[in-house]
Amino acid sequence: MNAEATAALSASSPDWAIDLADVAKTYKGKIEALKGINMRIRQGEVFGLLGPNGAGKSTLVKILMTVIRPTRCKGTMLGQPIGSQSILRRIGYLPEHHRFPSYLTGAQVLDFYAALTEVPRATRKARIPELLELVGMQDWGAVKVSRYSKGMRQRVGIAQALMNDPDIVLLDEPTDGVDPVGRRDIREILAELKRRGKTVFLNSHLLSELEMVCDRVAILVQGQVAKQGTIDELTAGKERYEIELATPTKQPPLAEMLHQLVSTNWEQYGPPKGWHDAGQLRSGEAIRVVNNMVQVHSSDAATIQPIIDQLRAHGAVIKSIRQLRPSLEDLFMAAVGDDGGVGGSKPCNANKKPLAAAPHTAKGDAS
Amino acid sequence: MMTQTVALFVDAYRELNAKKLFWITMLLSGLVVSIYAMIGINEEGITFLWFTLDFLPGNINSEQIPPEILYKGLFMNLGIGIWLTWIATILALISTAGIIPDMIAGGSIEMLLSKPISRTRLFLTKYLTGLLFAGLQVLAFTTASFLVIGIRGNVWEPGLFLAVPLVVCFFSYLYGVCALLGVLTRSTIASLLITLLFWCGLFVMNMGDAILLSFKVQYEVQRDGYTMGIDRSREGATKIITARREKEGNPVPEGFIATDEEMQSVMPWMASTIEYRDEAEETLGKLEPWAKGVYAVKTLVPKTGETIALLERWLISMADLEAITDGDAEEPTIDEESGRINLDDNELQLRTQEAFRERSVLWVLGTSLMFECLVLGGAVFVFARRDN
Ligand SMILES: Nc1ncnc2c1ncn2[C@@H]1O[C@H](COP(=O)(O)OP(=O)(O)OP(=O)(O)O)[C@@H](O)[C@H]1O
Ligand SMILES: [Mg+2]
């Protein structure tokens, strides 16, 4: 991993928007927030960084923005070493829990921070109404930010991050406090940015949202990258089939058949508990029965054919068969080491999931 | 670069403008100026609006104190001395103590540090915003005073505007400390309170210094008076003895000067006078190390009082002062009964003033600004290196 990262650094490939190697940060008081991060973000992609509270996500972004000084850091952003100030002109940033001076109006906030990024006055004038409109705040530009709601502040914050027409946008929990409509708007803005070839780096707890917009994700756990890659890469080989039955699984003879099927290797899982059983097929795949749902962890359709036959032979009426891949949440839980393994939790179809998926607080909170 | 600077100053203006205390202070300034616009002086005495306050003791009138001096005095003692450097300074500190802690508060500092602008520049601009508060206040106040003195006192004294840099300078000593504390504690209240404490400390030290200095001057004047008296008496005694010895047929040798004993034989009270002189000398010797110590400490810290006093030094000359206090300062005389010296109070005050004025501008401003630079340097150092 390390060798690979260094090799990439020396090559300094121009299509890495952000290329980090061995980024570490130890806060005063010996809190090791980051323990050597290697991470690469391609130009033009939407990259999601997730992790439990205190994993070090904000710390990483702050290092990129020169807000805090890294303990160790090798890496570049748009080809320039991290920590150089001149590159900040081409970056948009939305910090978490940002606070704007309460004496400024929304439009003045945009104007002030853009001016600090050295956007010329004429450009600022033209862009303020555009961006206010983009985030749906066109009627609020002349109102003091102290009178905004949390979501409104967040929207202005996002507009502010786009004022300098940045090449990279770093957003630390952009949807924090934003209503569902606003979150959809933000997703659309991100999609639009991507279409325009911008690189977007996103910190979020809303896994389902990240899943919708991100090309690639990294999962950060206790200051280390636990997983990194496209969602497809991360879920490869971890698909599962779900066979939904219209017949109650508790009725014999179906019940006995399932019991037998599931408890083939039950020693490994402990004695079967009622009907919520988990076990292993003879061929090795994990199988689980949850209510009237049979889950088979396999990416091979052939595996489930004999099971279908058996089920039907025992009088089961099959309502649906779906192939599912693990959700980001599943990956997250696995990486964080919380309950269940990959695919161990409830089925999840990303597009059907409600937007307001609760951010998951996991173990290892205060590292 | 230019864009950023303009933006920072526009922001500073907006920040000040949003502070209610800024406008309240302005208003109070107006009040103070109008109060002393109402005070006047004529041949009969001090006036207030249309009334002559002839019940005031001392029978002060426009012949003793020309209106010009009265207004300058009011401006410096009431306007600058009490209002600007006490009340308005406290109000200014209250309203500006939060500028640095607000800037480095979580959530707002990230917004600033993530811009292509150096931390030093950020810090110093915010610091200047605080000084701008003071600057605008003094400027408004001085302009109003300038007009009042011009209209009521019939003198158009541009020198009044020296108050602007001087008061800003004075405020900057305190605000520098406040800014450093803001960076260290991140708390408005803590930095405000500790700054006020620091200021009180300076005040106490200035008091001590002033007391020591006036004592020192008093004993110096005494010693000099006694020495002069003794020298004169010795001359007298020499003459008397010379005359007496001539009469006795025992003429004194060439260049004879009476010794202390011989002098005492003809002027018995001189014994105590010599004693008093020696006492004064001794006390001076004891005061000296203290005065030196306080002076040394004062060299290291900002000289708030003396910075403001520079204005008086420049606006009212020593000659003016002498004219006001007393035209005919008496020579100290030695009482022939007790051998004590009679000192003129006004003379003492003048001499103390003179002693203060002997301290160079370079010492007053230079060492104070040096202190401020160190404090600011420390603040920038801490601000630039800490994780925000
Ligand atoms: N200024 C600081 N001083 C000391 N420790 C800090 C500081 N900021 C963060 N930390 C610590 O660093 C670790 C990482 O914090 P960070 O804010 O980066 O986490 P995060 O992943 O953004 O969490 P969240 O999801 O809650 O936003 C935490 O253990 C936190 O306590
Ligand atoms: Mg965070």
Side-chain angles (χ1 to χ4, degrees), chain A residues 25 27-28 62 65-69 85-86 88-89 93 95-101 103-104 108 111-113 115-120 124 160, chain B residues 1-4 7-8 11-12 14-15 18 101-102 105-119 122 126 384-388:
Chain A
K25 174 69 191 179
Y27 280 111
K28 255 205 258 125
K62 286 183 195 168
M65 293 313 292
T66 73
V67 172
I68 59 178
R69 285 167 212 288
Q85 286 216 320
S86 57
L88 296 175
R89 220 162 285 148
Y93 173 49
E96 69 176 340
H97 318 305
H98 56 273
R99 277 205 320 216
F100 299 128
Y103 49 85
L104 294 183
Q108 286 170 343
D111 188 65
F112 175 56
Y113 290 111
L116 290 188
T117 330
E118 298 183 317
V119 179
R124 297 202 304 265
Q160 163 278 131
Chain B
M1 197 65 182
M2 214 33 223
T3 319
Q4 289 177 335
L8 285 169
D11 183 61
R14 285 187 180 135
E15 185 168 5
D102 280 355
S108 71
I109 188 67
E110 285 92 341
M111 290 301 308
L112 297 171
L113 292 183
S114 60
K115 303 291 179 243
I117 183 167
S118 82
R119 293 183 181 214
L122 262 180
K126 281 293 177 182
R385 315 194 96 233
R386 94 180 307 158
D387 288 331
N388 285 292

